[in-house]
Amino acid sequence: MTHPNLIRRERAARPLLLDLFCCAGGAAMGYRRAGFDVVGVDIAPRPNYPFTFHRADALKYLADLMATGEIERFAFVHSSPPCQDKCNLTIGTNRSKGWGGTHVDLVPPTRVLLEASGLPYVIEQPNGRAKIRKDVWLCGEMFSLGVLRHRNFELGRWSVTQPAHPKHRGRVRGWRHGEFHDGPYVAPYGNGGGKPTVPELQTAMGITWTDVREELTEAIPPAFSQWLGTQFLTQVRAGVAV
């Protein structure tokens, strides 16, 4: 006979995760694989988002959840505020050549609301000058991916040990200063300079549900968030995390 506690565990609802600035769901898929149900929010239409989606201003949506008490349905919040203001490309090549426009840094107001929510959270940003704590950073080589895609994560109300960073196996494929370099990784940004095809990007990132280049180049690999989500849920089950 099946033990009643086992039945309760099998029927228990999966914890609900709020995915802010969700784009097409690279992070969402990883969290889903880790054990969460996911609700995404983005100001742009995202028909390829694989889970429940709300088109809205992410910070207003979060503030409304807090005001109504609906935030209590959620166990965790992931956020990926737009990074154009502080990412390496914007503050480097683009700014030096006068390219691009003015961008608003949404990290500080995102953090304020996340802190007020009372929930454990993640703020994700690429390498650059974004003012977040780099509590943990991840690289595609840690997961044997075809991209490097270094990403930094600020962790609120929980923590995790930084994993080891394996040595890169070679260069990122593409043109640099008029010279073509081959290598085991593709560059998940832009269009020229020997950039990968959409199928190559899908394979390298581990993302199959969208074939929109812009969505692929903005995504984090699901392997990153699956690792984060698994670490958090393991701590919850062990009584370590909130």
Side-chain angles (χ1 to χ4, degrees):
M1 184 176 72
T2 304
H3 194 282
N5 287 340
L6 181 58
I7 294 175
R8 282 196 291 271
R9 283 198 299 271
E10 289 175 343
R11 292 180 180 175
R14 295 160 63 98
L16 190 60
L17 182 143
L18 183 61
D19 181 18
L20 300 176
F21 311 99
C22 65
C23 195
M29 184 62 74
Y31 286 119
R32 172 70 184 185
R33 292 170 181 168
F36 288 94
D37 282 337
V38 184
V39 174
V41 183
D42 201 287
I43 200 165
R46 298 295 183 183
N48 293 320
Y49 192 79
F51 309 116
T52 301
F53 173 79
H54 298 280
R55 185 181 180 186
D57 178 284
L59 297 186
K60 184 179 185 303
Y61 190 89
L62 175 57
D64 288 345
L65 286 176
M66 293 163 59
T68 61
E70 286 294 298
I71 193 65
E72 294 179 7
R73 296 191 299 118
F74 294 89
F76 192 91
V77 185
H78 174 94
S79 63
S80 294
C83 62
Q84 291 93 334
D85 182 62
K86 294 292 193 301
C87 76
N88 276 339
L89 183 59
T90 301
I91 63 179
T93 303
N94 286 5
R95 187 162 296 169
S96 69
K97 293 183 177 294
W99 298 342
T102 300
H103 303 285
V104 177
D105 183 1
L106 292 179
V107 170
T110 298
R111 181 187 294 108
V112 168
L113 280 178
L114 291 174
E115 280 294 320
S117 76
L119 293 177
Y121 65 82
V122 163
I123 302 175
E124 174 265 330
Q125 289 286 281
N127 282 339
R129 296 180 186 171
K131 294 181 179 178
I132 67 168
R133 294 191 316 272
K134 297 178 182 179
D135 295 322
V136 67
W137 61 275
L138 300 176
C139 164
E141 184 58 28
M142 296 174 178
F143 306 97
S144 301
L145 299 179
V147 292
L148 294 178
R149 181 126 287 195
H150 295 117
R151 286 296 182 268
N152 304 307
F153 301 89
E154 178 175 319
L155 311 181
R157 295 191 175 83
W158 72 292
S159 62
V160 68
T161 301
Q162 170 67 43
H165 183 212
K167 183 179 179 180
H168 295 168
R169 289 169 286 137
R171 300 192 62 146
V172 176
R173 191 187 79 197
W175 289 90
R176 302 290 185 279
H177 307 293
E179 184 179 356
F180 182 80
H181 301 277
D182 202 358
Y185 313 105
V186 298
Y189 55 85
N191 290 296
K195 298 300 190 299
T197 64
V198 165
E200 285 177 322
L201 265 178
Q202 290 174 313
T203 299
M205 296 276 287
I207 295 176
T208 59
W209 59 92
T210 178
D211 60 359
V212 178
R213 178 178 286 273
E214 175 257 346
E215 293 181 341
L216 288 163
T217 58
E218 288 189 3
I220 69 169
F224 289 14
S225 50
Q226 182 174 356
W227 185 85
L228 288 166
T230 298
Q231 297 298 311
F232 176 77
L233 290 177
T234 298
Q235 292 181 23
V236 168
R237 295 176 186 125
V240 176
V242 294

